[in-house]
Amino acid sequence: MTATVPRIHVLDPRLANQIAAGEVVERPSSVTKELIENAIDAGSQRIEVEIEQGGARLIKVRDDGIGIGEEDLPLALARHATSKIGSLEDLEGVSSLGFRGEALASISSVSRLELISNAEEDPRHGWRVVAEGRGMEARVTPAPHPRGTSVGVRDLFFNTPARRKFLRTEKTEFAHVEEAFRRQALSRYDIAWVLRHNQKVIHQLPAGHSAAARERRIASLLGKNFIEHARYIEREAGGLRLSGWVGLPTHSRSQADQQYFFVNGRVVRDRLVAHAVRQAYRDVLFNGRHPVFVLYLELDPDVVDVNVHPTKHEVRFRDGRMVHDFLYSGLHHSLASAKPAESPEEGVADATDTPDALPQGATSEANIEQPRWQQQGIALTHTPDRHPGAERVRRFMQGYQALHPNHEETLLTPQPSDPGERGREVREAPLAMPDNDPTAPPPLGFALGQLHGIYILAQNAEGLVLVDMHAAHERIVYERMKTQLAAAKGLDAQPLLVPVSIAASRAEVATAESEQEAIAKLGIELDIAGPETLLVRQLPALLAQADPEALVRQMLEELARYGRTHQVEARLHELLSTMACHGSVRANRRLTIDEMNALLRDMERTERSDQCNHGRPTWTQMGLKALDRLFLRGQ
């Protein structure tokens, strides 16, 4: 039996639109997104979104933009009809959010859509066009309307029951709609926004241009905790500008639900961006946690392609390597500069990197000239008689001093064995003094004592500070080892007794050839033995026991995709982290008050000291108000 060859034919316009709707209209939230983007492109100053039954019954977006004229209204629902581009050159540098000209056509093919618009100032004017899932020619009728446009989408998927049955509960669908609204509201602070669900106002956000107004909007949409535990970042280089808020590592979440990244005002979810952020948080975030951020990248529209995906959530950068490195370095340095002095919970002036120390030969009379907080610290350093483990502590502090050669000797000197000499030597110990305010106490205050040989208890201007001494010291040692590694001319390498042959793809071989200089800096010798063969001849000495093939493949993958590799650096840092853990002060070590204060001062001047190498917090604060509430004082 001969099979019948199907004839080629042109699809029915209605069917073509419904197929296109499958790409653009996934659920009510995607309809909301498309309608809001059209309203933004219309130059609106106020956008109102009204939802019923999670969007399944009604999605209505009203704006006060430029509107659509009567003569253009019939084309508004036509496929591939747009006012935003007219040539390929326009597409390559498009700055509007919508430009494909298929959203309204796709939406109208699977819903009952009504569009009313007025391009004039007189509210008595206006025109209506209606479509009910048919391929019929649009009919325009008069309809009074203020300047701007209202689009109402009713009974989504009423004519495609297979699609409608995949809609979730009203609560779930509205959660997606609210998220779409949240993203757009975060993209434009100069627009006033309103969101209603079942006639109830959910969000009412006034327009604002000041920093305070922007932070109020973020607090309204993401919660006050976000702003209270975030740092503002602003950086510009090479035609790229990055600004926004990044959450401190201590304010992370169990899921990636508060991550917002905008490219020229367009919200995107991009693998390159995700990788840069992940690397920046690599050794400050606890395992399984996700950072929070609201970031804005601005660059020339000509160097970014937004026409990659129908939903326009993905973009392609002309120079992805430069963008990746720019994002990584900006976030990395911002997080690195976060120290206990800048914790939002403390409200204490920033500590400086260079303490103002007393001369080593200072006598007790020098206390007359010392600031009030330093005299207070001297009073706090008097301790009971030496504990039985003094010799063990002395040996530990000798090791501590060896790891910290730049630290002031007097600060690390253990208590003298003669109790009569103890008070005089303690008074000579210099303490870190913030240069910007010599009268202010240090951010982490002064040590009061130890709890179970694990925690340091200290007093600062805000109240009680508790420090996990092992976690804190682990971060201090780790950061100093990283600094020494970075300052070295190159990594010590160890030749392999037998070179390891790797069967590689032609792309991997090409990357190995083009990135030879970067690979050599990492202490790896990689030879090209053939069109699809690589030879690993040496590795960094610290990674001599690593799997050469796995290490090189991951390194080449990152070099090809992002232009730089963090794989070898990450492996080395993992090793340094382990070494730092073993070289740090252990639990149940008894420290003197001087030694505890030395650790506190080191924390104040060490990058990323709010977390240990594994992302756990190193300290916490209990303010006086919290303590008063605990003991019902003032009740």
Side-chain angles (χ1 to χ4, degrees):
M1 184 176 178
T2 305
T4 302
V5 179
R7 299 292 303 276
I8 298 175
H9 63 281
V10 177
L11 285 175
D12 175 77
R14 176 190 174 196
L15 179 58
N17 283 341
Q18 289 179 335
I19 293 173
E23 297 178 334
V24 177
V25 186
E26 300 173 0
R27 60 197 325 161
S29 60
S30 54
V31 174
T32 306
K33 167 189 172 292
E34 296 290 344
L35 298 183
I36 288 178
E37 287 182 347
N38 283 343
I40 293 175
D41 286 341
S44 305
Q45 298 301 305
R46 179 181 177 85
I47 298 176
E48 299 183 18
V49 181
E50 186 175 343
I51 305 295
E52 292 184 10
Q53 294 183 5
R57 181 178 178 181
L58 173 67
I59 304 167
K60 185 175 183 179
V61 175
R62 180 171 181 170
D63 66 63
D64 60 353
I66 60 175
I68 305 173
E70 177 189 1
E71 63 280 3
D72 288 341
L73 209 55
L75 285 174
L77 304 186
R79 197 175 181 203
H80 303 315
T82 180
S83 61
K84 300 169 186 177
I85 60 171
S87 65
L88 181 60
E89 289 74 19
D90 294 339
L91 181 61
E92 290 176 347
V94 66
S95 58
S96 58
L97 299 178
F99 52 85
R100 294 172 180 268
E102 61 185 21
L104 287 178
S106 299
I107 295 169
S108 66
S109 70
V110 291
S111 68
R112 296 185 172 93
L113 184 145
E114 178 187 62
L115 189 154
I116 307 174
S117 190
N118 181 8
E120 302 180 27
E121 295 294 341
D122 190 342
R124 293 173 297 178
H125 296 147
W127 301 90
R128 173 192 288 112
V129 63
V130 177
E132 294 191 0
R134 298 191 296 271
M136 59 182 289
E137 183 177 347
R139 185 166 54 91
V140 178
T141 57
H145 189 279
R147 180 182 171 95
T149 303
S150 294
V151 183
V153 177
R154 296 183 181 274
D155 301 330
L156 186 62
F157 301 136
F158 79 98
N159 56 352
T160 53
R163 299 281 302 280
R164 190 175 181 89
K165 71 179 182 180
F166 279 100
L167 293 180
R168 303 303 181 188
T169 64
E170 177 179 331
K171 181 179 179 180
T172 299
E173 292 300 339
F174 179 72
H176 286 285
V177 169
E178 186 180 16
E179 178 62 17
F181 174 89
R182 186 181 292 115
R183 291 172 182 168
Q184 301 298 337
L186 288 173
S187 73
R188 294 289 299 270
Y189 296 93
D190 58 326
I191 298 176
W193 300 81
V194 178
L195 174 64
R196 300 185 186 89
H197 185 219
N198 296 335
Q199 287 80 51
K200 178 183 178 183
V201 175
I202 306 299
H203 294 291
Q204 188 160 352
L205 310 171
H209 299 272
S210 66
R214 289 184 291 168
E215 290 190 357
R216 282 195 296 270
R217 177 170 295 189
I218 291 178
S220 297
L221 294 171
L222 303 180
K224 292 182 179 179
N225 275 345
F226 183 99
I227 286 296
E228 291 173 354
H229 296 85
R231 292 170 54 86
Y232 183 75
I233 178 175
E234 189 167 5
R235 188 167 183 257
E236 191 168 358
L240 304 174
R241 183 177 184 273
L242 179 68
S243 62
W245 292 262
V246 292
L248 295 171
T250 48
H251 183 63
S252 58
R253 295 177 68 85
S254 59
Q255 54 188 348
D257 61 342
Q258 287 195 357
Q259 298 183 350
Y260 300 91
F261 193 87
F262 302 86
V263 176
N264 291 345
R266 181 189 306 278
V267 61
V268 301
R269 295 191 296 267
D270 187 85
R271 287 182 297 175
L272 181 146
V273 171
H275 184 272
V277 172
R278 191 165 59 248
Q279 292 299 322
Y281 277 89
R282 183 176 56 211
D283 64 357
V284 294
L285 208 60
F286 194 63
N287 186 39
R289 303 291 293 180
H290 298 271
V292 299
F293 54 84
V294 178
L295 292 170
Y296 304 86
L297 177 65
E298 298 174 37
L299 70 168
D300 188 338
D302 291 339
V303 300
V304 58
D305 182 8
V306 299
N307 191 26
V308 177
H309 190 274
T311 62
K312 301 182 289 291
H313 276 153
E314 300 177 12
V315 295
R316 182 185 295 114
F317 299 102
R318 181 178 297 176
D319 191 345
R321 294 182 174 190
M322 181 180 70
V323 173
H324 179 278
D325 288 352
F326 174 74
L327 295 176
Y328 167 77
S329 61
L331 296 174
H332 178 76
H333 287 108
S334 177
L335 293 171
S337 63
K339 302 175 185 178
E342 302 176 20
S343 170
E345 297 175 326
E346 305 309 315
V348 181
D350 293 353
T352 58
D353 291 334
T354 307
D356 187 0
L358 289 175
Q360 189 152 350
T363 63
S364 59
E365 285 76 14
N367 291 333
I368 299 174
E369 301 298 323
Q370 293 170 352
R372 177 179 53 81
W373 69 263
Q374 197 166 11
Q375 296 178 33
Q376 177 189 8
I378 292 167
L380 289 173
T381 55
H382 289 280
T383 59
D385 290 341
R386 290 176 58 80
H387 51 75
E391 180 60 26
R392 184 178 59 190
V393 173
R394 186 187 66 80
R395 289 197 302 270
F396 157 70
M397 290 309 297
Q398 288 176 343
Y400 183 96
Q401 188 170 358
L403 283 169
H404 306 71
N406 296 325
H407 204 291
E408 298 86 350
E409 284 189 30
T410 52
L411 202 59
L412 295 171
T413 303
Q415 293 273 8
S417 55
D418 182 359
E421 295 292 316
R422 183 167 58 244
R424 180 179 60 80
E425 183 149 341
V426 166
R427 285 194 295 270
E428 293 174 4
L431 300 171
M433 181 188 299
D435 287 345
N436 58 335
D437 186 358
T439 65
L444 293 181
F446 298 98
L448 300 173
Q450 252 180 311
L451 180 64
H452 290 294
I454 300 174
Y455 302 103
I456 293 174
L457 277 65
Q459 171 184 312
N460 69 357
E462 301 299 311
L464 179 67
V465 175
L466 293 93
V467 176
D468 183 330
M469 65 182 193
H470 170 71
H473 191 239
E474 184 180 359
R475 169 60 73 177
I476 292 168
V477 175
Y478 177 44
E479 289 297 326
R480 287 185 173 155
M481 294 176 77
K482 286 183 0 185
T483 301
Q484 292 172 9
L485 181 67
K489 294 181 179 179
L491 297 179
D492 292 335
Q494 178 174 317
L496 301 180
L497 292 176
V498 179
V500 175
S501 177
I502 300 177
S505 67
R506 291 183 179 271
E508 288 174 326
V509 172
T511 301
E513 185 175 15
S514 63
E515 302 289 348
Q516 284 184 346
E517 184 178 350
I519 294 170
K521 286 182 179 179
L522 297 170
I524 297 176
E525 184 177 341
L526 194 60
D527 287 346
I528 299 173
E532 296 183 348
T533 305
L534 296 172
L535 280 180
V536 186
R537 295 191 180 276
Q538 73 176 24
L539 291 176
L542 291 174
L543 299 181
Q545 304 303 315
D547 179 353
E549 181 174 351
L551 183 66
V552 167
R553 287 193 188 279
Q554 290 178 341
M555 178 190 68
L556 292 176
E557 180 184 355
E558 285 204 359
L559 280 171
R561 180 176 298 178
Y562 308 113
R564 63 181 294 176
T565 179
H566 298 276
Q567 278 298 326
V568 174
E569 181 185 7
R571 294 286 186 91
L572 289 170
H573 285 182
E574 286 175 8
L575 185 56
L576 293 183
S577 177
T578 301
M579 295 166 64
C581 185
H582 288 288
S584 301
V585 57
R586 312 301 296 179
N588 298 318
R589 280 286 183 90
R590 298 288 302 276
L591 304 181
T592 66
I593 293 292
D594 273 357
E595 292 160 357
M596 296 179 210
N597 280 324
L599 188 60
L600 296 177
R601 303 293 80 77
D602 274 345
M603 289 177 65
E604 290 163 352
R605 61 172 67 94
T606 299
E607 294 182 342
R608 309 175 185 87
S609 60
D610 282 352
Q611 295 82 34
C612 76
N613 313 347
H614 315 292
R616 293 191 298 108
T618 59
W619 69 286
T620 190
Q621 170 88 58
M622 288 190 69
L624 288 175
K625 290 183 179 179
L627 291 169
D628 287 344
R629 286 196 300 268
L630 185 64
F631 291 100
L632 304 180
R633 291 179 61 86
Q635 300 295 318

